Amino acid sequence: MRRYRLLGISFDSRPSVLGTEISSDWDLEVQAQWKKNHRSLREDLQAYLGSAEWARKEQDFVELGQAPWIVVFDGSDEVQEVRNTFASGNYRAAAGAAGALGERFLNMLVRDLREEFPPASVQLARRWSSKWQPLVRALEDWGVFTEDLAAAAMRLAALRNMALHRGFASDGRSEAMEAHGILRTLMEGVLGGLPPTRWFIQHHAHEPLIAEEYEAHPVVQVYYAPQSAYVGPWHKLDFEPAPGGMRVVVHDSHEYADVSISDDEFLALRREGPPLSDA
């Protein structure tokens, strides 16, 4: 009667916040708060990226868009590091860095999942591999990659090689933008923190609940379960201040029947709330 609810999510919405135009139609207090947020965000970014060529850096930071919205995993904190190379104006390096992180991502998936699936139809190195095609083929064979994700991964491999071997005709900005977009697609396609990543209940997008059919899937068990609370339909969340941000507190002391229910039944119970005797 329980479901995994993802709590450990990595994201960075600052590009969207900074790129939001403050409308004169908004309430004055709302305008003032947004201006304060923009000012604070710009100060933080300038301290980190440097104030030289700031207008260009801010434009690059905003146009690159949000970072991948993904489950926390070993290496998810590196996403922002490689994205900063784009905002700094080092576009060829940014394309290469996106490709390098993509290669690490493929290797991580294969390393972590290889024991959970039947042997792949291709030979895979036991250590780090720089050969993308066998890695991508294995992930596609296992059903971790869709055909579209596999094609996207090979395009990222091509962009990485172009970046390393100075194959860009221009400064590489458009190629770097494409490379980072593909990296976001790959990460969200397998380890996304919200629907439409397929592991979630799709018609309940505002709460990241793992669908019953995928609870035992190796990707869910390896990556999502450790970052989730196993909750019943009447659970509640609180957010408390903690060092470096906020801490999620799960409240779920209800007694649940030890029965299997469908996702729709789980959501119906969630909408109805607990019985008065259990409230």
Side-chain angles (χ1 to χ4, degrees):
M1 197 171 182
R2 295 177 182 268
R3 295 291 184 274
Y4 288 110
R5 176 164 182 169
L6 179 61
L7 302 179
I9 301 175
S10 174
F11 65 96
D12 182 5
S13 60
R14 294 178 301 170
S16 295
V17 173
L18 193 56
T20 298
E21 184 176 349
I22 301 172
S23 173
S24 59
D25 296 335
W26 295 356
D27 182 86
L28 292 179
E29 290 187 4
V30 174
Q31 291 185 50
Q33 184 60 53
W34 271 88
K35 289 177 181 178
K36 180 180 178 181
N37 292 342
H38 278 188
R39 185 167 55 252
S40 176
L41 179 52
R42 286 192 176 99
E43 290 173 354
D44 289 345
L45 287 173
Q46 286 182 15
Y48 190 82
L49 298 173
S51 58
E53 300 182 46
W54 173 249
R56 196 267 311 151
K57 288 178 180 177
E58 180 176 340
Q59 180 181 0
D60 283 347
F61 185 82
V62 170
E63 290 187 5
L64 190 58
Q66 291 193 149
W69 195 292
I70 49 179
V71 61
V72 172
F73 59 85
D74 181 23
S76 58
D77 57 340
E78 297 173 14
V79 173
Q80 193 57 52
E81 294 178 18
V82 303
R83 285 169 58 84
N84 288 337
T85 60
F86 185 88
S88 69
N90 298 310
Y91 302 130
R92 291 189 179 90
L101 188 54
E103 183 175 294
R104 183 192 184 285
F105 185 65
L106 298 183
N107 275 273
M108 178 196 75
L109 292 173
V110 169
R111 178 199 65 200
D112 292 346
L113 299 172
R114 66 187 309 149
E115 303 301 330
E116 306 297 330
F117 289 98
S121 59
V122 293
Q123 295 296 316
L124 295 172
R126 282 288 174 183
R127 297 183 178 179
W128 182 278
S129 175
S130 60
K131 297 180 179 180
W132 286 53
Q133 192 168 28
L135 297 169
V136 171
R137 191 181 306 159
L139 292 168
E140 193 173 12
D141 286 349
W142 297 341
V144 175
F145 270 8
T146 62
E147 184 178 344
D148 288 344
L149 287 179
M154 295 312 301
R155 172 58 181 166
L156 181 57
L159 289 169
R160 177 179 183 271
N161 289 336
M162 292 170 66
L164 291 177
H165 301 292
R166 304 184 65 83
F168 298 150
S170 62
D171 63 358
R173 187 180 189 276
S174 61
E175 291 86 354
M177 182 81 77
E178 181 185 1
H180 279 271
I182 293 174
L183 181 63
R184 180 168 54 246
T185 295
L186 293 178
M187 289 188 165
E188 291 183 343
V190 180
L191 298 182
L194 288 171
T197 305
R198 67 182 185 271
W199 321 118
F200 295 103
I201 300 175
Q202 294 298 310
H203 52 286
H204 191 69
H206 64 289
E207 292 182 329
L209 294 163
I210 300 295
E212 182 186 27
E213 65 176 306
Y214 291 120
E215 280 189 359
H217 194 282
V219 170
V220 170
Q221 288 299 313
V222 170
Y223 296 107
Y224 287 84
Q227 297 292 337
S228 300
Y230 199 48
V231 295
W234 302 319
H235 72 279
K236 294 181 180 179
L237 301 183
D238 278 337
F239 298 87
E240 299 179 351
M246 302 293 288
R247 180 171 67 97
V248 182
V249 179
V250 181
H251 302 284
D252 195 24
S253 59
H254 303 283
E255 294 292 335
Y256 298 109
D258 186 16
V259 295
S260 177
I261 60 175
S262 70
D263 293 335
D264 286 339
E265 289 172 325
F266 183 94
L267 297 180
L269 289 172
R270 184 143 182 75
R271 288 191 298 268
E272 293 169 6
L276 294 177
S277 60
D278 200 23

